[in-house]
Amino acid sequence: MIKFFLMVNKQGQTRLSRYYEHVEINKRTMLEAEVIKNCLSRSKDQCSFIEYKDFKLVYRQYAALFVVVGIDQTENEMAVYELIHNFVEVLDKYFSRVVSETLNLLWNIFSLSKL
């Protein structure tokens, strides 16, 4: 099961976050900081799967954008890795280029859908 979905730039700023389990706001900030630090500190030669606390992180880098998905221990990492790629391909086709402004637009759409 997917626990959260993050899109982060190379500076470590969260551009989009979506949680599928309840996590308190102050814990989200700490969780995102630790997850981002773990993913951004890895080299391109290292695996894109990380064991982290009681779940796994699957991440993929596209230019200056990192997509990170937190999953439980039973989820298939390769399936999630492919899901990330398909998600970015859809964004790329729909918006022509996946850039920071597109992510701001998505964040606004997700915010409005909660109302």
Side-chain angles (χ1 to χ4, degrees), residues 15 21 26 63 77 83 99 104:
R15 307 310 294 158
E21 289 184 344
N26 58 348
E77 298 96 342
L83 171 76
V99 292
N104 288 334

Side-chain angles (χ1 to χ4, degrees), residues 25-80:
I25 298 296
N26 58 348
K27 290 185 180 179
R28 284 184 187 188
T29 306
M30 291 184 345
L31 174 70
E32 288 177 20
E34 291 175 16
V35 165
I36 291 166
K37 186 179 97 178
N38 281 331
C39 292
L40 268 61
S41 66
R42 296 173 62 89
S43 72
K44 291 186 179 192
D45 296 333
Q46 291 180 297
C47 180
S48 294
F49 312 138
I50 304 171
E51 295 279 334
Y52 178 76
K53 294 190 178 182
D54 61 339
F55 52 90
K56 298 178 202 173
L57 301 174
V58 179
Y59 72 94
R60 203 158 180 174
Q61 181 180 1
Y62 293 91
L65 182 68
F66 284 82
V67 180
V68 184
V69 179
I71 57 175
D72 62 17
Q73 297 292 339
T74 61
E75 193 69 46
N76 183 336
E77 298 96 342
M78 288 303 293
V80 174

Side-chain angles (χ1 to χ4, degrees), residues 2-19:
I2 295 176
K3 296 183 176 225
F4 59 85
F5 187 92
L6 301 174
M7 294 182 110
V8 181
N9 65 15
K10 273 191 173 179
Q11 291 75 36
Q13 299 168 318
T14 303
R15 307 310 294 158
L16 177 72
S17 67
R18 186 72 165 182
Y19 288 83

